[in-house]
Structures are given as structure tokens and as C-alpha cells.
Amino acid sequence: MNQEQMDFVKNGKGFIAALDQSGGSTPKALALYGVSEDQYSSEEEMYDLIHEMRTRVMTAPSFNSDSIIGAILFEQTMDRKVEGHYTPDYLWQKKGVAPFLKVDKGLADEENGVQLMKPMPNLDDLLKRANERNIFGTKMRSVIKEANAEGIKKVVEQQFEVGKQILAAGLVPILEPEVDINSTDKEQSEKILKEEMLKHLDSLDEDQNVMIKITIPTENNYFKELIEHPRVVRVVALSGGYKRDDANEKLAANNGLIASFSRALSEGVSANQTDEEFNATLENSIKSIYEASIT
């Protein structure tokens, strides 16, 4: 583990950029960027185009450690280069931004009101490669759709079980038990989730420190105990489908919670913009998310 990165992620001012769209979400991300599916004819071309988009974001002048403390990457992005450097090295050496890696393989079918993560049989090999590529931490996502105590318990158990495997590899896991913003019993789900999260956090050893990525709570500052827990490096929030202005407003009402936005970060940027237009749009986005994160 890179101690300089740990200190920066724990104490730095700013937010984490989520640039980890995977195979299933890449077509939608490209469409929002102005690249339709008829503009590529293979998965390889699709990934080339999304890397061009991510490169444009990461090389923008405003994308730096003044506002951004970390960036979450897709596995392919980790192995690709930006301006002649492997992406994780470019982020840290050129931008001062700590690199994270999405490690989950997607969601299983819904059961007991939740979607667990699919099995990750090759996780140890991926973590080894992540270390070789100088990755600081990882991220993995589950989804909670209903306030089902049994389902939420299984989500948290799985997140911590895999999180300990990641810690053993010397990386810092971001545990992401997302609560669907459209859930009719979202607030009750958050209550069950917080109780389960605190129970597992209390059982960690002093050298087992994790991060948490979570949906912005219905009740402001509801996750205060998670943010202040001694085993938690940082708690970050996903935009969850909210438009950027809405997400920023909700985020700003929660002290100590910082953003880890994907769609909200790239909202408004387009493949058809000039570099000047693109950079100005992204700068405004980064500025607004940064301000909401440090409020």
C-alpha cells in the first residue's frame, strides 16, 4: 500500500471520479457522450471509443488533485495507456490522483430484494495485476432494491468477505452496497444497511481499513457513524441516477460525505465539442461536484 496515497485519499479535499463503465454500461455512456451504437461495429471498437472519452476527461486541465483525490478505472483502462503511461501511473504521476480499480463482474439476479455480486473466481489474479499496475484500491458494487433484512445482510456479508480478500492483497477496498434511489422503502433499507455495516466494521482489526460507497441517504447525515468510524478511510456517494444539480444539492446536505460520480460527472460533455468547449463543460462539472463535496 502506498502510504502517500493513503494520506491523500484520507485527508485530501475533493471527490472520486468514477470512470469505470464496464461492458454492460459502456454503450449507454457512449450514447450520452454523443456516440451511437451504429458508430462502432465490434466490442473492440466500442472499448477504443470509451477509452478515447476517458482519456479526454483525464487529460483535461481541470482534472487534477486540486479537486479530485481518486479515479475508479475499468479493468481494460488499467491496462491501457494515456500519453504513453499506463493509466494508473498517469493518474498518480502526472495528475496526483490515486487510482482505483473496479473488480466486480456484475450483478447476480435479484433475490430477497437485492442483487449480490456475481462470483469472482479469478479475483486473486486480478489483484496481483492491480498491484503490478500500481493501483491503490478497488471498488465492487451490489444493489439493494427492497428493505429485506435477509437480503441486505447477505449483501453486507459478501462485501466484507471480498473486502478482506482485497485487504490481504495490500489494496484498499471500496465497499459499495448501493440502495436503489427508486426503492419505495429506501429509508428503511438504509436503516437495516447501516446496522449491518456498523456490525461488520466493529469486527475489523485495527489494520483493516476500508472505504464505503453509498447512496446519498434520505435523511441528511444519516451515515454520520460510518463516516466517523475508525476503520473507515472515507465514505463516498454515488449519484445513483440523480441529475448532477440534484445530486450535488443532496450531497452538500451531508457533512463529510464526498462524491464518487460517474454520469453526473460527464453530464453535458460531448464527442462533438471542441477541446475548448469540452474542457469548459468538464471544468464546470468538476467545480460544482467539488464544492458539494467540501461543504
Side-chain angles (χ1 to χ4, degrees):
M1 185 187 301
N2 185 314
Q3 189 59 47
E4 184 181 1
Q5 290 177 343
M6 172 62 90
D7 293 341
F8 179 58
V9 170
K10 185 175 180 63
N11 302 310
K13 283 189 175 183
F15 65 95
I16 293 179
L19 305 173
D20 59 330
Q21 298 93 346
S22 57
S25 55
T26 293
K28 185 174 182 180
L30 283 173
L32 291 171
Y33 182 54
V35 178
S36 59
E37 291 191 39
D38 61 7
Q39 291 178 260
Y40 50 89
S41 57
S42 67
E43 190 175 80
E44 183 179 357
E45 288 182 9
M46 179 186 75
Y47 283 128
D48 286 344
L49 288 166
I50 197 69
H51 188 65
E52 288 177 13
M53 171 188 157
R54 290 166 176 155
T55 296
R56 204 175 181 193
V57 170
M58 289 183 283
T59 57
S62 59
F63 193 96
N64 59 57
S65 59
D66 290 343
S67 304
I68 300 169
I69 62 176
I72 305 170
L73 307 175
F74 179 50
E75 184 178 344
Q76 278 206 17
T77 312
M78 174 181 76
D79 292 324
R80 290 179 180 246
K81 292 186 176 182
V82 176
E83 295 187 346
H85 303 269
Y86 283 110
T87 308
D89 292 331
Y90 174 82
L91 285 169
W92 183 244
Q93 295 171 12
K94 301 298 180 180
K95 294 287 188 165
V97 172
F100 292 80
L101 176 68
K102 167 187 158 67
V103 296
D104 68 78
K105 299 301 180 184
L107 299 168
D109 292 337
E110 183 177 340
E111 186 175 349
N112 292 325
V114 304
Q115 287 182 277
L116 297 173
M117 296 180 288
K118 289 180 178 178
M120 293 174 269
N122 301 316
L123 180 58
D124 283 335
D125 290 337
L126 179 57
L127 296 176
K128 181 180 178 182
R129 286 177 47 224
N131 274 308
E132 291 169 353
R133 286 279 179 264
N134 299 318
I135 290 288
F136 169 73
T138 65
K139 190 215 78 164
M140 51 194 178
R141 172 176 173 256
S142 313
V143 175
I144 297 165
K145 294 180 176 295
E146 297 176 6
N148 182 304
E150 181 181 352
I152 294 173
K153 181 179 180 181
K154 287 182 177 179
V155 162
V156 177
E157 285 177 347
Q158 185 189 43
Q159 285 281 340
F160 275 87
E161 179 183 358
V162 180
K164 288 177 182 178
Q165 186 177 351
I166 292 163
L167 285 167
L171 299 168
V172 178
I174 300 178
L175 314 179
E176 184 182 5
E178 173 183 347
V179 177
D180 191 330
I181 64 168
N182 298 309
S183 170
T184 56
D185 50 10
K186 177 175 178 284
E187 193 167 5
Q188 180 62 22
S189 291
E190 290 163 350
K191 181 178 184 297
I192 300 169
L193 176 61
K194 184 170 78 169
E195 291 172 356
E196 290 295 328
M197 293 292 288
L198 288 171
K199 187 190 307 179
H200 283 267
L201 286 170
D202 288 342
S203 71
L204 293 177
D205 295 335
E206 286 189 7
D207 61 346
Q208 293 179 308
N209 299 304
V210 304
M211 296 176 64
I212 299 169
K213 183 168 180 175
I214 211 153
T215 308
I216 302 171
T218 305
E219 178 186 329
N220 292 340
N221 296 310
Y222 187 69
F223 292 129
K224 182 174 184 285
E225 295 98 324
L226 300 182
I227 293 169
E228 296 178 349
H229 197 283
R231 298 282 68 76
V232 175
V233 178
R234 211 74 191 252
V235 179
V236 304
L238 53 109
S239 52
Y242 293 123
K243 290 289 188 179
R244 183 172 61 237
D245 288 348
D246 290 340
N248 284 340
E249 182 180 353
K250 293 176 185 297
L251 180 69
N254 287 269
N255 299 327
L257 190 64
I258 66 172
S260 178
F261 293 171
S262 174
R263 278 169 291 183
L265 171 65
S266 58
E267 187 179 309
V269 300
S270 168
N272 301 317
Q273 291 172 326
T274 65
D275 286 345
E276 184 178 0
E277 292 168 336
F278 179 94
N279 291 339
T281 301
L282 184 65
E283 182 177 3
N284 287 335
S285 175
I286 287 173
K287 181 180 179 182
S288 70
I289 297 171
Y290 172 80
E291 289 175 349
S293 295
I294 65 169
T295 300

